[in-house]
Amino acid sequence: MPTNELKMNPLKNQRKHLKSHSKKLSFALIGNPNCGKTTLFNQLTGSRQYVGNWPGVTVEKKEGNLKLYNTDINIIDLPGIYSLSPYSSEEIITRNCLIREKVDLIINIVDATNIERNLYLTTQLMELGLPMVIVLNMTDLLEKKGDTIDYEFLKQVLNIPVVPISANKGIGINELLKLSLDFAKKHKELKVKNIYSKDIDKILNSIENVLNETTNKININNRWVAIKLFEDDILVLKSIKLTKLQEEKISKYKNMVQLSKHVDRQMLLADARYKYICSICKIAVHKKNDHNIMTLTDKIDRVVTNKFLALPIFFALILLIFYTTFGPIGIFLKDQTNFLINNIFGNLVLNTLNILGASEWTKSLIVGGIIEGVGSVISFLPQITILFTLLSILEDSGYMARAAFITDKLLRRVGLSGRAFVPLLMGFGCSVPAILGTRILERENEKKLAILMVPFMSCSAKMPVYSMFIAAFFSKNQPFIIFSIYIIGILAAIFTTLIFKRKLLKGTSSSFIMELPEYKLPTIKNLTLHVWERVRDFLVKAGTVLLGAAIIIWFLQSFDTTLHLIEDSSQSILAAIGTRIAPIFTICGFNDWRASVSLLCGLVAKESVVSTMAVLYNTGSGIDLATNISQNFSALSAFSFMTFVLLYTPCIAAVSAIKKETKSILWTCFIVFYQLFIAWFFSACVFQFGNLFLNFAKF
Ligand code: GDP
Ligand code: MG
């Protein structure tokens, strides 16, 4: 991390103290979803974790290092949570990390613009008794709103250090680091403030006393355990061993509270916490605007999340994105890049090779294999950049969180919770993080179902395939063709839930709480980071996997089974393999060995479909790929081919992610075959029904 931290704040009086404790410290960042944990993590560790504007982006803990005054500090970024009750897997991950891994300091991040709700978690963290500092983030937004918070008062009443910061602007970070280090070194445990009524407090004290009798203590504050036992937290109960006598005593104490009909003990405590927070905020927070005044965000939301307008606006935005990406602008940029790579660069290389007197097969490998293959994929880079820039703008501005909210109802209809929206949406980028992201789903079966659905969300690697066919056949109505492809993917996903819902999902779907962040202008920094991540992945893939695949494909299509260089690729090894597979696709309308081989290569990486086609359909006569393709497909068979690419088994990386998440080879194999079948089935339907329709139209 920032060397300027080291120059400033000499912390002289601390140094001696620090030297005697040169062990590594660990600080955990904890807070509600979307409060800026990852932004702060990136600031502190100089790393570039994904910062998103919706919950569920950080699903597992991430660690980073920071060296400050000779002390190594391990910073842990944890998933956002609303409470320490084990409702969801993130809450369990976070809680376990705190209890088992003995962090030296909790850095509790509180969104200052939403302080009342955020402090709920703070009250629970306080009960853990671990050293803690509170970070009030987003103070820049607070200032903009004109609200103020009395930090001194908060500090005193909570008895915890409070540091105001703005994580994305880098304000207050030095102060925070200095204070955190100081505090962690002192191992200052928190004195728990009393939040509950006298009666409840008495009961909690009695339970705590019973726990104090236990000899094999767990590592955690008995007060916290007492509270959890009072709340009937099964996980805590399981993890401590109580004697029969202790159990009886605790149960006696627990039953001392009078509960009215619809209230359980957990709600009783929650209510007390909220009352406590309310009393603090009344004094500490001064709002400039009354709640009744509509903010800009409220005004936008009135339209965007309106009952009738929400879905049309959502689809209109998606169409607009497709139009920009695949329409005239995208195509123009693609053609320019293509010209640059194939014509200018390709010719330059060819001329150089001629001058050097390279052999025919070297020229064929480098120009016809590598440049043609890899170049055909790289020419889609501008379109990928446009797509991700637009998606990132929607995400950063706060619209995507609304989209999750809008689609929640639709997802509920198919039996999933709105939580599944996040991984499904990520699937449009890349299936790998999306599959890992299904971890935020609470129930194991819901997760399996989402994993089955994610690959049907057309990932960006498939885009070059569509783009190529669109250029060849559908140049008049590109956005609609693309839209229909994406819709077919979504339909296949819904079809899948309908089949498996009964088997996998019994009972109601789990709840989904999601806050809607305020709208804001996306920052250039965040945009470039998001887009660069995709572009880099794409380029790395092009330089490694696709390059390798292009060389192998060139080899297999240039030699026959007796390893003789051939002129006509239909005599090649590849053709021998392809002709075996091709008949399966007769019903889908593309019984061509080159198409089959391209699909086979697509199993490695979807972009490989295009690079393989570029090599195989290259007649060497200077005709561009789109024209070559249009001579070998009909519009209908092209659409059926696109459908197959959309739905069939995702790439190797995604399959291994599926294996990782399901932890079952059987499931993984099942998913792979299921997707192959669905792809074949849908693509056959498209071709057969399409044909029927065309014949009918002729009459
Ligand atoms: P996490 O879910 O807690 O990890 O939150 P993120 O770090 O992903 O941030 C959520 C959103 O808040 C992102 O859009 C950030 O750019 C934004 N954000 C984070 N810190 C600040 C801040 O100090 N001020 C403002 N205005 N926005 C912030
Ligand atoms: Mg995060």
Side-chain angles (χ1 to χ4, degrees):
M1 171 47 230
T3 40
N4 58 345
E5 300 289 354
L6 301 174
K7 284 182 213 140
M8 297 156 81
N9 309 329
L11 280 178
K12 272 185 196 146
N13 52 342
Q14 288 257 330
R15 279 221 169 120
K16 255 191 261 153
H17 182 67
L18 294 177
K19 271 192 185 146
S20 55
H21 287 78
S22 53
K23 87 168 229 255
K24 192 167 188 174
L25 292 175
S26 65
F27 294 180
L29 303 180
I30 302 204
N32 286 185
N34 233 358
C35 66
K37 293 172 298 299
T38 306
T39 313
L40 180 61
F41 177 84
N42 289 350
Q43 278 278 358
L44 294 176
T45 59
S47 57
R48 298 213 216 132
Q49 291 298 343
Y50 200 87
V51 175
N53 214 341
W54 62 54
V57 173
T58 313
V59 282
E60 54 184 355
K61 63 174 195 182
K62 299 214 171 82
E63 302 187 27
N65 287 314
L66 152 69
K67 201 175 172 86
L68 195 68
Y69 306 102
N70 288 328
T71 310
D72 285 314
I73 302 169
N74 183 28
I75 309 265
I76 310 168
D77 181 22
L78 287 158
I81 50 173
Y82 291 105
S83 79
L84 282 185
S85 318
Y87 291 129
S88 69
S89 53
E90 294 113 302
E91 285 169 346
I92 296 171
I93 292 179
T94 305
R95 193 164 108 167
N96 286 347
C97 171
L98 291 177
I99 299 172
R100 297 201 188 127
E101 297 188 18
K102 279 202 158 182
V103 296
D104 296 287
L105 180 77
I106 295 178
I107 299 184
N108 173 213
I109 304 169
V110 167
D111 175 353
T113 60
N114 242 324
I115 184 162
E116 287 92 345
R117 210 216 23 247
N118 278 239
L119 283 180
Y120 184 72
L121 176 66
T122 310
T123 55
Q124 295 200 317
L125 291 171
M126 279 156 58
E127 285 159 359
L128 284 170
L130 294 168
M132 175 160 111
V133 296
I134 294 178
V135 171
L136 283 176
N137 189 26
M138 315 247 182
T139 48
D140 56 314
L141 278 185
L142 192 78
E143 246 171 60
K144 230 190 211 164
K145 276 182 155 180
D147 299 351
T148 53
I149 293 177
D150 185 344
Y151 305 122
E152 254 331 290
F153 173 77
L154 263 188
K155 194 167 134 187
Q156 272 166 17
V157 74
L158 295 170
N159 198 20
I160 302 172
V162 173
V163 195
I165 69 161
S166 167
N168 71 347
K169 303 229 153 67
I171 302 168
I173 310 285
N174 286 342
E175 166 90 339
L176 167 66
L177 277 172
K178 183 179 156 200
L179 191 115
S180 306
L181 192 61
D182 193 13
F183 210 64
K185 289 291 183 185
K186 283 186 192 149
H187 281 284
K188 206 171 158 195
E189 299 227 328
L190 286 184
K191 277 248 169 335
V192 184
K193 278 263 161 185
N194 191 15
I195 295 175
Y196 310 107
S197 71
K198 274 202 184 110
D199 293 346
I200 296 180
D201 197 43
K202 239 189 195 161
I203 294 173
L204 292 176
N205 282 341
S206 310
I207 299 180
E208 205 180 326
N209 287 337
V210 176
L211 289 171
N212 285 339
E213 297 162 12
T214 321
T215 40
N216 53 344
K217 281 184 188 164
I218 56 170
N219 270 329
I220 195 86
N221 188 311
N222 271 347
R223 172 78 179 183
W224 186 77
V225 179
I227 292 169
K228 288 295 134 188
L229 290 183
F230 182 79
E231 288 181 334
D232 297 315
D233 187 316
I234 294 167
L235 291 181
V236 171
L237 187 65
K238 268 190 199 154
S239 65
I240 53 168
K241 288 190 185 74
L242 293 172
T243 62
K244 259 252 141 25
L245 187 66
Q246 281 177 317
E247 265 178 32
E248 276 166 17
K249 278 187 195 169
I250 291 175
S251 142
K252 190 187 87 194
Y253 289 130
K254 277 195 327 198
N255 289 327
M256 279 164 77
V257 275
Q258 296 282 322
L259 292 173
S260 53
K261 212 174 173 189
H262 300 292
V263 178
D264 61 16
R265 277 187 292 268
Q266 205 177 354
M267 281 153 96
L268 208 65
L269 297 196
D271 187 49
R273 287 185 197 120
Y274 275 121
K275 281 196 179 127
Y276 175 70
I277 294 166
C278 236
S279 68
I280 295 177
C281 289
K282 235 185 216 160
I283 303 174
V285 184
H286 301 279
K287 297 222 153 133
K288 185 180 161 201
N289 288 327
D290 207 277
H291 274 307
N292 297 331
I293 294 176
M294 283 227 300
T295 59
L296 181 65
T297 294
D298 293 335
K299 282 181 199 156
I300 300 176
D301 270 344
R302 265 205 156 172
V303 182
V304 167
T305 58
N306 174 289
K307 212 166 145 191
F308 302 105
L309 296 177
L311 280 178
I313 292 180
F314 176 67
F315 286 120
L317 280 173
I318 301 285
L319 264 179
L320 184 72
I321 291 181
F322 287 155
Y323 183 73
T324 322
T325 312
F326 299 98
I329 306 174
I331 290 184
F332 172 77
L333 290 174
K334 189 202 82 187
D335 288 346
Q336 293 306 311
T337 323
N338 198 14
F339 181 76
L340 210 73
I341 297 173
N342 279 333
N343 295 38
I344 301 193
F345 182 68
N347 280 340
L348 190 79
V349 173
L350 191 62
N351 289 339
T352 319
L353 288 174
N354 277 336
I355 294 167
L356 294 175
S359 63
E360 272 313 305
W361 76 264
T362 321
K363 283 190 275 186
S364 159
L365 168 65
I366 294 179
V367 181
I370 296 176
I371 297 181
E372 188 73 39
V374 180
S376 61
V377 176
I378 290 191
S379 57
F380 294 99
L381 192 62
Q383 282 174 308
I384 289 192
T385 314
I386 297 175
L387 183 67
F388 280 102
T389 309
L390 296 178
L391 285 179
S392 294
I393 290 176
L394 280 195
E395 186 187 325
D396 261 16
S397 63
Y399 180 76
M400 280 308 188
R402 271 83 186 169
F405 174 72
I406 294 163
T407 45
D408 181 44
K409 244 199 203 148
L410 294 177
L411 285 170
R412 259 169 211 290
R413 287 224 180 117
V414 295
L416 282 169
S417 85
R419 272 174 171 258
F421 176 77
V422 179
L424 290 178
L425 186 82
M426 281 177 157
F428 287 115
C430 173
S431 302
V432 177
I435 288 164
L436 300 182
T438 56
R439 224 174 275 180
I440 64 163
L441 297 170
E442 280 148 50
R443 291 169 307 158
E444 202 50 38
N445 283 339
E446 201 176 346
K447 195 173 119 179
K448 284 203 178 114
L449 189 55
I451 291 178
L452 261 170
M453 291 168 79
V454 162
F456 294 136
M457 303 296 122
S458 181
C459 79
S460 64
K462 295 172 189 167
M463 212 187 80
V465 183
Y466 310 145
S467 199
M468 177 179 73
F469 279 101
I470 280 174
F473 291 101
F474 309 101
S475 52
K476 276 199 195 112
N477 33 19
Q478 327 96 356
F480 289 98
I481 292 291
I482 281 289
F483 194 62
S484 62
I485 279 287
Y486 280 71
I487 294 289
I488 290 178
I490 294 168
L491 288 180
I494 293 174
F495 179 75
T496 304
T497 47
L498 294 181
I499 297 180
F500 293 98
K501 195 164 93 176
R502 281 233 187 99
K503 266 224 134 20
L504 288 178
L505 295 180
K506 288 191 187 101
T508 52
S509 55
S510 46
S511 62
F512 173 52
I513 318 170
M514 158 143 194
E515 95 202 55
L516 300 179
E518 297 216 352
Y519 286 106
K520 59 176 195 271
L521 283 177
T523 61
I524 299 282
K525 189 178 157 197
N526 238 339
L527 276 189
T528 21
L529 190 67
H530 285 184
V531 176
W532 170 239
E533 240 168 45
R534 289 277 164 228
V535 169
R536 189 195 51 202
D537 282 356
F538 180 79
L539 288 177
V540 167
K541 219 187 208 177
T544 51
V545 181
L546 298 182
L547 177 68
I551 295 174
I552 295 173
I553 295 299
W554 172 84
F555 176 80
L556 293 177
Q557 68 118 23
S558 306
F559 292 88
D560 65 9
T561 39
T562 55
L563 291 187
H564 283 100
L565 197 62
I566 44 168
E567 279 288 314
D568 179 6
S569 60
S570 63
Q571 310 293 322
S572 67
I573 307 175
L574 209 53
I577 302 171
T579 7
R580 291 263 154 80
I581 311 173
I584 306 172
F585 297 115
T586 313
I587 189 171
C588 309
F590 45 91
N591 177 359
D592 176 346
W593 68 268
R594 292 170 292 191
S596 310
V597 167
S598 305
L599 291 175
L600 200 62
C601 296
L603 290 175
V604 179
K606 287 289 167 298
E607 296 93 337
S608 227
V609 175
V610 170
S611 56
T612 309
M613 288 187 130
V615 175
L616 295 182
Y617 287 101
N618 177 19
T619 48
S621 47
I623 305 172
D624 76 336
L625 182 59
T627 320
N628 270 326
I629 293 288
S630 63
Q631 286 163 359
N632 289 284
F633 282 83
S634 67
L636 186 58
S637 68
F639 195 78
S640 143
F641 187 83
M642 278 163 40
T643 309
F644 191 88
V645 172
L646 160 78
L647 300 174
Y648 86 125
T649 312
C651 63
I652 294 275
V655 173
S656 80
I658 293 176
K659 163 78 195 9
K660 192 173 162 203
E661 280 309 304
T662 58
K663 296 184 193 77
S664 149
I665 294 187
L666 208 68
W667 251 100
T668 313
C669 291
F670 168 73
I671 292 178
V672 167
F673 283 108
Y674 173 72
Q675 275 151 353
L676 279 175
F677 173 75
I678 286 288
W680 178 83
F681 179 72
F682 270 64
S683 132
C685 285
V686 162
F687 188 71
Q688 296 304 330
F689 286 115
N691 247 340
L692 264 181
F693 177 77
L694 288 181
N695 287 336
F696 188 71
K698 263 186 212 154
F699 273 109

